[in-house]
Amino acid sequence: MAAVLFDFSGTLFRVETTESWLRAVLAGAGHTLPEPELTRTARALEAAGALPGGVEPEEIPADLAELWAVRDQSAELHRAAYTGLSRRVALPDAGLYDALYDRHMTPAAWTPYPDSARVLRTLRDRGVGVGVVSNIGWDLRPVFREHGLDACVDAYVLSYEHGVQKPDPRLFSVACEALGADPRRVLMVGDNRAADGGAAALGCRVHFVDHLPTEHRPDALLPVLDLVV
């Protein structure tokens, strides 16, 4: 393999829990909720799918369905979709909806999987090109920099910067071109079979991992090193 493409959320990094997310935003805004209410609110936000990178919504409201389908094509669409979901849940201050969205874009909200650094640094040391291909509405580069992994990534291809989202093969094509790699010699690693599987249309090999909490997935990326020979 000449290069490896990685998805971001659920593959290399995991977003914080919905409760941690809510607690951080409430504390930052100077709000407090009784513990039972905070727990109920966090569960409601999780069911709504309001945390980007978290669990999928249990149900997409009809008035958000069209927006949801194209949410990763621009920063504006992404924010509108996720704040639209969070607004289904009552919060003590209307400003908290945007504050929640802003929080998820901070490096503090993300934790790399235990084996991410080892795999990325090993690929770099082997001279294998590395790209990050993500359906996302914001710039994730600061997350990699904060966790000391930016030097391991040769190209970032983010849907909102190109107006195209996975599984559209055009996004993977941009990544392969950025790395100067023939797609037939590229491995795509991701957690979403529908979205990340789109790379196969170009001839890329595809490898999937499960989107699990970091403590439950200590070494799922390590097989990637054996696939790149």
Side-chain angles (χ1 to χ4, degrees):
M1 292 293 170
V4 181
L5 307 178
F6 290 93
D7 175 50
F8 169 58
S9 175
T11 300
L12 290 174
F13 283 81
R14 172 82 178 195
V15 75
E16 65 187 330
T17 67
T18 309
E19 184 172 319
S20 171
W21 178 54
L22 177 60
R23 285 184 185 277
V25 169
L26 289 173
H31 287 286
T32 59
L33 291 176
E35 280 299 310
E37 184 178 352
L38 190 148
T39 300
R40 286 194 301 270
T41 302
R43 287 175 179 168
L45 287 167
E46 184 161 318
L51 173 58
V55 300
E56 291 286 306
E58 291 183 358
E59 181 180 357
I60 303 296
D63 61 320
L64 290 178
E66 291 186 12
L67 176 61
W68 182 256
V70 297
R71 66 192 181 279
D72 296 311
Q73 293 182 15
S74 77
E76 295 76 17
L77 293 171
H78 196 265
R79 179 182 286 271
Y82 281 100
T83 56
L85 291 175
S86 66
R87 286 189 173 93
R88 265 52 186 185
V89 180
L91 295 176
D93 183 335
L96 292 173
Y97 299 106
D98 277 314
L100 283 169
Y101 185 85
D102 292 341
R103 163 71 187 184
H104 102 276
M105 296 188 289
T106 64
W110 296 89
T111 301
Y113 280 94
D115 52 351
S116 291
R118 175 181 171 184
V119 169
L120 291 176
R121 289 169 180 157
T122 300
L123 292 173
R124 179 194 59 191
D125 293 344
R126 290 182 182 178
V128 177
V130 171
V132 173
V133 184
S134 178
N135 277 353
I136 200 165
W138 51 278
D139 186 5
L140 52 71
R141 295 172 182 87
V143 176
F144 282 79
R145 286 197 294 269
E146 179 69 21
H147 291 280
L149 297 177
D150 184 57
C152 300
V153 180
D154 301 297
Y156 294 93
V157 179
L158 312 181
S159 62
Y160 84 101
E161 293 182 338
H162 298 274
V164 177
Q165 63 190 48
K166 298 182 289 187
D168 193 317
R170 289 178 293 174
L171 204 63
F172 303 104
S173 180
V174 169
C176 291
E177 290 175 8
L179 295 170
D182 183 331
R184 293 169 296 181
R185 297 185 61 218
V186 172
L187 174 67
M188 174 66 205
V189 182
D191 68 295
N192 187 306
R193 281 162 173 74
D196 299 313
L202 293 179
C204 298
R205 185 173 181 179
V206 183
H207 178 73
F208 296 108
V209 293
D210 293 324
H211 190 158
L212 297 171
T214 54
E215 63 270 23
H216 296 153
R217 216 198 74 189
D219 54 9
L221 291 171
L222 294 182
V224 169
L225 300 177
D226 294 326
L227 296 173
V228 180
V229 295

